[in-house]
């Protein structure tokens, strides 16, 4: 038993904490121990996994190394503690012990996981009983969060409850040596869910559902596919008529569609896939990764992307198949597929069968569906890459509800209600924060319902009763109103941009103090105006507004967000001292309403004042790129970034003016001067590509100069960059470069988005910090 | 100033200060008019102060506004308006000619509505202590119909009607202030609703659940009050809401939602399902209701919310505003 060696036996008691249940941890430990010839036991309790191993010093060491180095793919180990205990006589073998009663109660529900290679191999093997089966999964992969109805995470508490395991599946489920040991959604063609292809009236279409669906797709049909967290709408990416039809039926004018490529090789034919992108594309979360497109090679006709997929866009949102159904579909189709959320314009994605049939009947020609219900709607996650790691844009399927470890504890359980658009909520207790899946824009009733139900669901899943409720200060946010209706809790209002900065701190496991640069569309400020171009000196508990973009009116309020030319009007009126030449393109294009909008701004009627950086980008985008009206959030800024020539090093001057007296601000940044420089440059015949780049460089310099000014006045030399504007990679890169060159340490987002999707984590971090101070 | 904009802040102010101070059974329903019994008669009693700026605007002035507003508050409670009082607060130096114009238009409006202005009062305050001229009217009306009306009376299955195109008064006032370079062919909708109400109540006796004149906070605020008080959902069809192109254009320019803009001669009516057709016909047969439309339905779920079915089939929440509208988009 000691591999022939004579050595002293040792016994180690090991405790593993983190996401270690429902992820194949016990079979992994069991297999490892058997392989190394160790005696001992493994089991689950409410704290995680406990292990005792006994054997020779060398194999026990090897065991520990493997535990640390190669845990099961889905495990997220937060802590391993090892203690020497007295060794026994040996020869007892290795056993999996029963969980203590209620032991799984607090097991952390894992995110949904992309199909693993072992399952794929079985699906491709004609001799395997799961050959071609669209619901194949194991303890290392498959649906989790989206099918869990309640805890403990057991089959009866999932949407697999209605499927009784057959004898073969049951055997696998109960065999500690099997990859499907305690894999709750285990199933096979004999006992599990089934695919169905139906027409708009719900009538079944005969034949193999996948093969038939592909036949429809090839005839330019729009297909609705039931995925992991909801229905997708699909069309062959190379087929312009199909993609154009999808666009018009969905009422989606310009926003790019995401594409699912059959495999990594196909992805590489479409986009530049570096090491980081490859890791993200093929990882267990399988987000949509925004990647730079390659010029289309004419000799590879299958790799073509129709113009309507992402009109005029050098970037493409790319993902790889993540469910067995996607694998089957893409293998049969053998070319990229547009895969977009199953909804009409801004509605939430459809996930209940009858509702999907009803809502998508005007869009999809056929429905590829199945009988495994989805319990929680989860959109695809979206990420960009920045300096060899991911920068989340939308954190949802594959990530939620993975807890985030907090640097400091949460004395009393916190519910953070999040913002209004791109809402997520966050529950936190102990040292963990559970940021929800992407809920969406709360102004929509369906979304509000998903929000309130989602909060209840998370409370049950994580056994948490909030005692502190954190919320935004905007009085009209439905999340604020929801918070204010809670009874018997302590309410904590957190300023929007403080929440952004705190979310960046929490994301990086830090507490501050830092200079927080929060640039976004807008958020409610302490003075009742709308902020959004903020330099805060902040830690988790408090902040001071140390600098900001000079406020100006937004003529028509929300209308100025939908119509960037209005921001151009407001900026130009200030930049050019009220004398805007009639022959400027942006003025000519909007001549009929220009004087009225300028009058609105001057009179301050229906024109709230804002220091928003997003609105400055809008104004410059309207002036430079002709983007007068947007059809999706952030469109103008996105197009300005896209237009900018990355090789251009020049930058405009953006003076920092002395801060207003009787405020905490050391400076304000003169946005109109930047706009004046843009106008001059364009007037001198400089191409828009160069102007757009110089503007980006100017804003990056504004960030660096502002931070330097604050550091000179005693502020910390660490900077946290947050807010939706920092999804702009050109700005993020330039600003980070400049700051680092000037000796700053720079924190950027890596686990939650810089946009409002990350606000709930920040609110939770602030509420917890204030609660800690109260003691 | 958010406390004056007619939204939730006003509501909170009313509940926290006035209801607290004056609490009594006639006040408690917080309807537009109070119902009191005098001898064997049931009377409706209401009062309102008018501080509109400018005082003269296309389609009316502070005088007919003050008469019509009080007539309408009485009318929508189901009462027949009878008598009004009028109180004036004048800023020193307010031109007598203007005052004559105001009183003349009050007299005209009273005659049109068939009510008498039977008592009054005037105070003059120092220059700068008021803005030209404020008018307060109070009114009494006779509740001589059996109709039981109230914001809490809406039931699932009911139909929601507005009596005409919305938002004209509010937009007219905004443009009349002259700060904006906007020209629109618009006049205030100020009008007395007692005739229209009588026509409606005659046409569907027992079928009307509640009526409200959509003044401050507009149709959206009224619908929210109904949804909350009745514990029902009100689902409005965006495309069915009558809005004149000039109002729509001005609202779009100003970035405001016509549903929240004040009217002074339009009402929201909730009738039971079977009465919908008769109610609409009756309204349309009256000169002030020619463009009445069915705009929505009452449902049981989700209680307390007003939902707007948008052109694309989405359901947007039309909430009661806490204060002045501010963009929520980040
Ligand atoms: Fe934000
Ligand atoms: Mg009144
Ligand atoms: Zn697997
Ligand atoms: Zn089976």
């Amino acid at each position: 038993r000691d591999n022939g060696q004579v050595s002293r036996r040792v016994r180690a008691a090991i405790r593993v904490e983190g996401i270690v249940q429902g992820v194949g941890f016990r079979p992994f430990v069991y297999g490892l121990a058997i392989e190394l010839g160790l005696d001992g036991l493994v089991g689950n309790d409410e704290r995680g996994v406990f292990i005792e191993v006994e054997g020779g010093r060398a194999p026990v060491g090897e065991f520990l190394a493997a535990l640390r180095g190669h845990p099961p793919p889905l495990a997220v180990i937060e802590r391993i503690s090892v203690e020497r205990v007295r060794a026994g006589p040996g020869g007892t073998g290795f056993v999996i012990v029963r969980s203590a009663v209620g032991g799984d109660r607090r097991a952390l529900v894992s995110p949904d996981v992309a199909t693993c290679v072992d399952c794929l191999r079985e699906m491709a093997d004609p001799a395997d009983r799961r050959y071609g089966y669209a619901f194949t999964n194991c303890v290392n992969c498959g649906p989790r969060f989206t099918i869990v109805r309640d805890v403990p995470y057991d089959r009866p508490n999932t949407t697999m409850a209605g499927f009784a395991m057959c004898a073969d599946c049951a055997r696998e489920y109960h065999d500690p040596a099997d990859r499907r040991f305690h894999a709750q959604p285990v199933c096979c063609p004999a006992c599990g869910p089934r695919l169905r292809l139906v027409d708009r009236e719900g009538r079944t279409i005969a034949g193999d559902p996948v093969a038939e669906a592909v036949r429809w797709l090839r005839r330019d049909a729009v297909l609705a596919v039931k995925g992991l967290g909801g229905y997708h709408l699909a069309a062959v990416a190379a087929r312009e008529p199909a993609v154009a039809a999808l666009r018009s039926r969905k009422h989606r004018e310009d926003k790019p569609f995401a594409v699912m490529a059959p495999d990594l090789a196909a992805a590489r034919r479409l986009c530049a896939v570096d090491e980081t992108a490859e890791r993200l594309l093929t990882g267990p979360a399988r987000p949509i990764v925004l990647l730079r497109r390659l010029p289309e090679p004419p000799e590879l006709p299958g790799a073509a992307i129709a113009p309507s997929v992402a009109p005029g866009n050098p970037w493409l949102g790319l993902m790889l198949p993540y469910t067995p159904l996607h694998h089957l579909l893409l293998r049969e189709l053998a070319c990229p597929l547009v895969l977009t959320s199953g909804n009409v314009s801004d509605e939430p994605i459809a996930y209940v069968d009858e509702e999907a049939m009803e809502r998508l009947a005007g869009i999809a020609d056929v429905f590829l569906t199945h009988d495994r219900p989805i319990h929680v709607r989860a959109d695809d996650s979206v990420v960009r890459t920045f300096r060899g790691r991911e920068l989340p844009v939308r954190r949802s399927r594959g990530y939620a509800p993975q807890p985030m470890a907090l640097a400091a504890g949460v004395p009393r359980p916190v519910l953070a209600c999040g913002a209004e658009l791109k809402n997520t909520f966050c529950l936190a207790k102990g040292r963990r924060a559970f940021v929800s899946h992407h809920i969406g824009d709360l102004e929509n009733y369906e979304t509000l319902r998903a929000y309130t139900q989602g909060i209840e669901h998370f409370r049950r899943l994580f056994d948490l009763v909030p005692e502190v409720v954190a919320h935004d200060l905007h009085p009209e946010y439905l999340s604020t109103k929801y918070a204010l209706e809670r009874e018997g809790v302590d309410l904590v209002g957190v300023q929007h941009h403080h929440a952004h900065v705190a979310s960046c701190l929490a994301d990086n496991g830090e507490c501050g103090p830092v200079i927080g640069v929060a640039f976004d569309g807008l958020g409610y400020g302490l003075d009742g105006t709308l902020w959004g171009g903020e330099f805060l000196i902040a830690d988790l508990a408090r902040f001071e507004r140390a600098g900001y973009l000079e406020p100006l009116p937004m003529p028509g309020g929300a209308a100025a967000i939908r119509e960037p030319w209005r921001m151009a009007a407001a900026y130009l009126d200030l930049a050019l001292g009220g004398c805007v030449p009639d022959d400027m393109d942006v003025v000519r294009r909007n001549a009929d309403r220009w004087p009225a909008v300028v009058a609105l701004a001057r009179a301050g009627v229906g024109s709230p004042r804002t220091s928003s950086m997003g609105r400055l980008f809008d104004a410059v985008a309207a002036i430079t790129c002709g983007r007068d009206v947007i059809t999706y959030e952030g469109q103008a800024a996105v197009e300005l970034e896209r237009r900018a020539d990355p090789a251009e090093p020049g930058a405009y001057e953006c003076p920092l003016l002395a801060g207003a007296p009787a405020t905490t601000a050391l400076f304000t940044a003169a946005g109109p001067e930047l706009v004046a420089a843009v106008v001059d440059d364009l007037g001198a015949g400089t191409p828009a590509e160069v102007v757009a780049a110089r503007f980006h460089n100017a804003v990056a310099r504004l960030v660096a100069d502002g931070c330097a000014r604050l550091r000179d006045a005693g502020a910390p030399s660490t900077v946290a960059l947050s807010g939706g504007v920092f999804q702009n990679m050109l700005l993020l890169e330039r600003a980070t470069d400049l700051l680092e060159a000037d000796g700053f340490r720079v924190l950027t987002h890596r686990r939650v988005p810089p946009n409002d999707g990350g606000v709930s984590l920040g609110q939770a971090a602030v509420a917890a910090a204030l609660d800690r101070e109260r003691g | 100033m958010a406390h004056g904009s007619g939204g939730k802040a006003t509501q909170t102010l009313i509940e926290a200060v006035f209801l607290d101070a004056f609490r009594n059974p006639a006040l408690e329903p917080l309807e537009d008019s109070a119902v009191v019994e005098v001898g064997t008669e049931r009377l409706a009693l209401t009062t309102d102060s008018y501080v509109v700026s400018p005082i003269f605007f296309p389609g009316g002035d502070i005088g007919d506004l003050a008469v019509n507003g009080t007539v309408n508050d009485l009318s929508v409670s189901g009462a027949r308006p009878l008598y009004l009082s009028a109180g004036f607060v004048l800023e020193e130096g307010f031109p007598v000619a203007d005052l004559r114009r105001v009183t003349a238009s009050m007299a005209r409006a009273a005659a049109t509505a068939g009510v008498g202005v039977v008592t009054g009062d005037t105070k003059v305050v120092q220059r700068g202590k008021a803005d030209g001229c404020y008018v307060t009217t109070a009114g009494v009306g006779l509740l001589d119909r059996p109709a039981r009306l109230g914001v809490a009376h809406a039931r699932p299955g009911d139909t929601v009607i507005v009596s005409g195109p919305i938002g004209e008064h509010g937009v007219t006032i905004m443009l009349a202030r002259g700060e904006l370079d906007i020209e629109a062919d618009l006049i205030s909708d100020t009008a007395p609703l007692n005739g229209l109400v009588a026509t409606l109540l005659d046409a569907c006796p027992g079928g009307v659940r509640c009526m409200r004149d959509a003044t401050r906070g507009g149709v959206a605020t009224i619908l929210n009050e109904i949804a909350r008080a009745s514990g029902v959902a009100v689902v409005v069809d965006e495309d069915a809401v009558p809005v004149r192109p000039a109002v729509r254009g001005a609202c779009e320019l100003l970035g405001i939602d016509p549903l929240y803009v004040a009217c002074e001669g339009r009402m929201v009516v909730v009738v039971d399902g079977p009465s919908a057709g008769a109610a609409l016909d009756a309204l349309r047969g009256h000169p002030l209701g020619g463009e009445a439309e069915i705009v929505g339905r009452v449902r049981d779920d989700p209680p307390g919310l007003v939902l707007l079915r948008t052109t694309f089939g989405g359901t947007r929440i039309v909430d009661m505003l806490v204060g002045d509208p501010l963009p929520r988009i980040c």
Side-chain angles (χ1 to χ4, degrees):
Chain A
R1 280 200 81 107
D2 277 348
N3 300 337
Q5 294 173 9
V6 181
S7 71
R8 232 181 57 196
R9 291 177 65 82
V10 294
R11 189 172 178 99
I14 304 158
R15 185 155 268 299
V16 191
E17 287 169 73
I19 301 186
V20 290
Q21 297 180 6
V23 294
F25 215 92
R26 289 171 300 168
F28 159 76
V29 167
Y30 178 88
L32 189 61
I34 298 292
E35 190 188 314
L36 293 168
L38 300 172
D39 294 337
L41 55 87
V42 60
N44 283 346
D45 64 13
E46 75 280 0
R47 288 176 55 199
V49 169
F50 58 90
I51 307 167
E52 292 191 19
V53 285
E54 181 175 332
R57 185 179 295 275
V60 166
E62 251 179 86
F63 179 89
L64 286 170
L67 195 64
R68 290 200 170 96
H70 313 283
L74 303 188
V76 179
I77 296 179
E78 287 173 1
R79 213 153 72 109
I80 297 183
S81 57
V82 184
E83 215 181 306
R84 271 289 283 280
V85 292
R86 178 189 281 276
T92 55
F94 195 89
V95 291
I96 296 181
V97 298
R98 269 187 95 79
S99 301
V101 176
D104 283 328
R105 177 79 200 167
R106 292 175 203 182
L108 299 179
V109 173
S110 123
D112 301 290
V113 185
T115 311
C116 73
V117 288
D118 293 325
C119 286
L120 282 177
R121 198 180 309 114
E122 291 169 343
M123 285 170 57
D125 177 3
D128 194 278
R129 66 195 191 90
R130 292 190 177 86
Y131 176 61
Y133 183 51
F135 303 91
T136 306
N137 67 80
C138 73
V139 81
N140 296 321
C141 76
R144 295 286 188 279
F145 173 60
T146 51
I147 63 163
V148 173
R149 290 196 173 116
D150 204 354
V151 282
Y153 174 56
D154 276 330
R155 191 177 180 101
N157 284 331
T158 71
T159 64
M160 284 297 292
F163 300 93
M165 272 183 243
C166 69
D168 288 335
C169 286
R171 193 176 323 111
E172 293 168 338
Y173 181 87
H174 292 294
D175 176 3
D178 195 277
R179 206 173 86 246
R180 295 196 166 86
F181 177 67
H182 279 216
Q184 304 305 340
V186 66
C187 60
C188 74
C191 66
R194 274 164 214 214
L195 284 179
R196 220 155 63 93
L197 187 69
V198 299
D199 65 15
R200 286 175 172 176
E201 277 75 47
R203 291 177 300 232
T204 302
I205 295 170
D208 173 63
V210 171
E212 280 304 316
V214 166
R215 210 159 297 148
W216 277 83
L217 283 169
R218 290 207 175 111
R219 291 196 303 256
D220 289 343
V222 171
L223 175 73
V225 196
K226 186 174 178 182
L228 214 41
Y231 277 78
H232 278 121
L233 291 162
V236 173
R239 296 292 306 162
E240 177 62 20
V243 181
L246 174 56
R247 229 176 231 300
S248 76
R249 293 183 205 169
K250 213 173 125 79
H251 299 291
R252 177 146 151 169
E253 288 166 55
D254 306 304
K255 196 175 181 184
F257 286 136
V259 167
M260 182 176 271
D263 52 34
L264 190 60
R268 286 190 194 284
R269 287 195 291 271
L270 299 175
C271 290
V273 178
D274 65 10
E275 214 177 296
T276 313
E278 177 180 336
R279 181 165 49 77
L280 294 169
L281 281 171
T282 60
R286 299 272 160 129
I288 295 169
V289 187
L290 295 179
L291 296 170
R292 245 183 213 288
R293 285 163 83 160
L294 298 175
E296 299 220 290
E299 72 280 7
L300 286 167
I305 297 292
S308 286
V309 173
N313 201 329
W315 297 82
L316 187 65
L318 208 56
M319 62 181 147
L320 294 182
Y322 54 84
T323 68
L325 177 55
H326 294 137
H327 282 284
L328 295 173
L329 194 60
L330 270 290
R331 191 177 307 153
E332 180 82 18
L333 185 68
C335 70
L337 192 63
V338 162
L339 215 52
T340 183
S341 48
N343 57 4
V344 180
S345 62
D346 295 330
E347 288 276 281
I349 181 169
Y351 73 112
V352 177
D353 296 332
E354 309 84 70
E355 176 211 315
M357 289 296 299
E358 192 188 309
R359 280 171 51 196
L360 305 181
I363 308 177
D365 299 297
V366 278
F367 292 74
L368 183 54
T369 182
H370 59 76
D371 52 355
R372 186 182 70 204
I374 297 168
H375 187 66
V376 177
R377 171 196 287 129
D379 294 75
D380 288 320
S381 296
V382 182
V383 305
R384 302 188 84 157
T385 64
F386 176 64
R387 298 194 166 182
R389 53 185 171 71
E390 65 192 300
L391 178 82
V393 173
R394 180 167 71 201
R395 179 188 180 276
S396 201
R397 192 238 338 127
Y399 294 85
Q402 183 130 299
M404 266 167 278
L406 295 173
V410 181
R412 291 182 297 162
V414 174
L415 162 66
C417 295
E420 172 88 348
L421 296 192
K422 292 188 286 285
N423 174 280
T424 63
F425 57 84
C426 173
L427 288 166
K429 71 170 176 180
R431 277 179 183 275
R432 288 187 180 129
F434 301 93
V435 176
S436 77
H437 50 303
H438 169 81
I439 300 290
D441 301 347
L442 289 186
E443 60 191 11
N444 193 294
Y445 172 62
E446 266 294 295
T447 320
L448 181 68
R449 212 173 48 171
Y451 176 72
T452 54
Q453 290 173 353
I455 290 173
E456 286 314 305
H457 188 54
F458 267 59
R459 282 182 49 173
R460 268 199 315 279
L461 285 189
F462 304 113
D463 189 22
L464 191 158
V465 181
E467 293 172 40
V468 178
V469 172
H471 60 85
D472 198 274
L473 298 180
H474 198 308
E476 304 293 350
Y477 278 7
L478 289 172
S479 58
T480 304
K481 293 176 179 178
Y482 174 86
L484 298 181
E485 283 163 15
R486 301 305 99 198
E487 281 167 9
V489 295
D490 286 345
L491 289 170
V492 182
V494 181
Q495 199 279 326
H496 188 85
H497 302 94
H498 185 209
H500 271 305
V501 173
S503 93
C504 188
L505 286 173
D507 191 334
N508 287 279
E510 304 215 2
C511 301
V514 289
I515 300 173
V517 182
F519 286 177
D520 68 356
L522 43 87
Y524 198 82
L526 293 183
D527 57 0
T529 71
L530 298 167
W531 295 4
E534 311 305 307
F535 291 77
L536 311 179
I537 295 171
D539 58 18
L540 291 179
R542 57 186 52 79
F543 76 96
E544 195 165 89
R545 193 185 194 199
Y548 51 90
L549 192 61
E550 214 172 273
L552 85 173
M554 286 169 72
I561 302 171
R562 291 189 298 269
E563 299 177 12
W565 71 267
R566 291 177 184 240
M567 289 314 301
Y571 264 108
L572 287 170
D573 192 44
L574 292 175
L576 307 182
C579 313
V580 184
D582 290 342
D583 61 346
M584 275 187 71
D585 284 343
V586 65
V587 184
R588 264 211 308 256
R589 287 194 310 267
N590 301 285
D592 55 333
R593 293 195 290 168
W594 190 275
V597 162
V598 170
L600 273 187
R602 288 187 186 167
V605 174
S607 302
R609 294 181 75 76
T610 185
S611 57
S612 163
M613 181 56 79
R615 299 292 86 81
L616 174 58
F617 270 81
D618 284 355
V620 173
I623 296 166
T624 310
C625 310
R627 174 49 65 189
D628 291 334
V629 178
I630 58 168
T631 65
Y632 65 90
E633 202 201 333
Q635 182 180 8
V638 165
E639 290 179 3
L640 189 65
E641 176 190 2
R642 196 193 285 168
R643 182 62 83 83
D645 174 7
E648 168 60 35
Y652 305 122
E653 203 62 52
C654 180
L656 301 182
L657 314 172
T663 68
T664 54
L666 279 159
F667 66 84
T668 62
E673 305 243 353
L674 258 176
V675 172
V678 166
V679 172
D680 283 351
D681 214 7
L682 283 170
T686 309
E689 286 70 18
V690 175
V691 173
R694 288 177 179 168
F695 171 73
H696 275 82
N697 295 340
V699 176
R701 260 181 49 185
L702 161 63
V703 172
D705 291 351
C707 291
R709 171 81 66 95
L710 298 179
R711 185 179 54 187
D712 289 347
S717 59
T718 301
V719 176
L721 302 178
S722 191
V725 170
F726 285 108
Q727 277 162 184
N728 182 320
M729 300 310 280
L730 186 58
L731 175 65
L732 183 65
E733 270 162 27
R734 298 278 150 102
T736 306
D737 286 347
L738 288 174
L739 285 166
E740 287 180 348
D742 194 20
F744 284 101
R745 193 167 71 95
V746 182
L747 304 178
T748 57
H749 283 273
R750 51 181 73 209
R751 296 184 296 176
V752 295
N755 61 44
D756 281 8
V759 159
S760 64
L761 177 65
Q763 291 172 344
V766 171
L770 290 170
D771 213 25
R772 282 196 299 275
E773 284 189 358
R774 286 173 33 145
Chain B
M1 270 315 285
H3 285 290
S5 54
K8 206 184 253 175
T10 314
Q11 200 85 358
T12 313
L13 181 75
I14 290 171
E15 281 167 23
V17 180
F18 298 113
L19 188 57
D20 204 42
F22 301 124
R23 191 173 295 278
N24 65 60
L27 175 66
E28 217 120 16
L30 291 178
E31 293 275 358
D32 280 346
S33 304
V35 175
V36 293
E37 281 174 25
V38 179
T40 56
E41 301 292 352
R42 288 170 66 233
L43 298 180
L45 195 62
T46 190
T47 183
D48 227 322
S49 295
Y50 295 82
V51 294
V52 65
S53 163
I55 284 167
F56 303 99
F57 49 83
D61 57 47
I62 195 168
D64 48 25
L65 202 63
V67 170
N68 290 337
T70 292
V71 165
N72 292 348
D73 279 348
L74 293 171
S75 304
V76 295
S77 66
R80 203 148 47 81
L82 296 174
Y83 302 108
L84 262 51
S85 74
F88 296 84
V89 174
L90 303 174
E91 185 186 7
E92 189 187 341
F94 184 68
V96 176
D98 283 358
L99 186 58
R100 287 229 170 81
R101 244 179 105 183
V102 170
T103 49
S105 91
M106 285 183 82
R108 242 188 341 266
T112 307
V115 297
V117 179
V118 293
T119 179
D121 171 58
T122 305
K123 295 280 183 297
V124 177
V125 298
Q126 282 172 5
R127 209 178 278 276
K129 302 277 171 160
D131 182 14
C133 168
Y134 301 150
V135 182
T136 297
T137 51
V140 55
L142 187 62
L143 282 154
D144 55 357
R145 290 172 187 276
R148 311 261 321 141
L149 303 167
V151 278
H153 293 186
R155 293 292 169 265
D158 289 354
T159 297
V160 181
I161 303 175
V162 298
S163 66
I166 64 170
E168 284 160 31
H169 174 75
V171 169
T172 301
I173 294 297
M174 264 181 268
L175 301 189
R177 287 183 189 142
E179 304 154 309
L180 309 177
D181 199 354
I182 304 174
E183 279 173 34
D185 190 13
L186 267 180
I187 60 168
S188 167
D189 50 34
T190 178
L193 291 170
N194 48 342
L196 185 64
V197 165
T199 307
L200 174 68
L201 292 177
D202 288 343
C204 29
V208 180
R209 309 278 202 192
C210 83
M211 298 179 282
R212 292 299 286 268
D213 55 333
T215 54
R216 273 184 315 180
V219 169
T221 301
I222 298 295
L223 294 177
N224 269 285
E225 284 170 14
I226 293 169
R228 282 172 201 205
S230 300
V232 296
V234 176
V235 183
V236 176
D237 189 352
E238 185 174 38
D239 294 335
V241 179
V243 184
R244 280 200 216 291
V247 171
R248 195 176 293 288
C251 282
E252 210 179 88
L253 189 69
L254 291 160
I256 53 180
D257 184 342
L259 280 172
Y260 291 95
V261 178
C263 316
E264 288 292 344
R266 306 290 181 215
M267 60 178 180
V268 173
V269 182
V270 180
V271 296
D272 63 21
S275 307
L280 190 64
D281 289 346
L283 290 168
R284 285 184 174 172
H286 189 278
L288 285 175
E291 292 167 83
E293 291 286 351
I294 291 177
V295 298
R297 301 170 316 287
V298 178
R299 278 192 343 205
D300 57 347
D301 185 69
L305 283 186
V306 179
L307 304 180
L308 186 72
R309 281 217 172 280
T310 59
T311 309
F312 291 152
T315 38
R316 194 159 60 75
I317 296 168
V318 179
D319 206 13
M320 186 104 96
L321 292 180
V322 175
D324 293 323
L326 275 180
R328 293 181 280 175
I329 307 169
C330 180

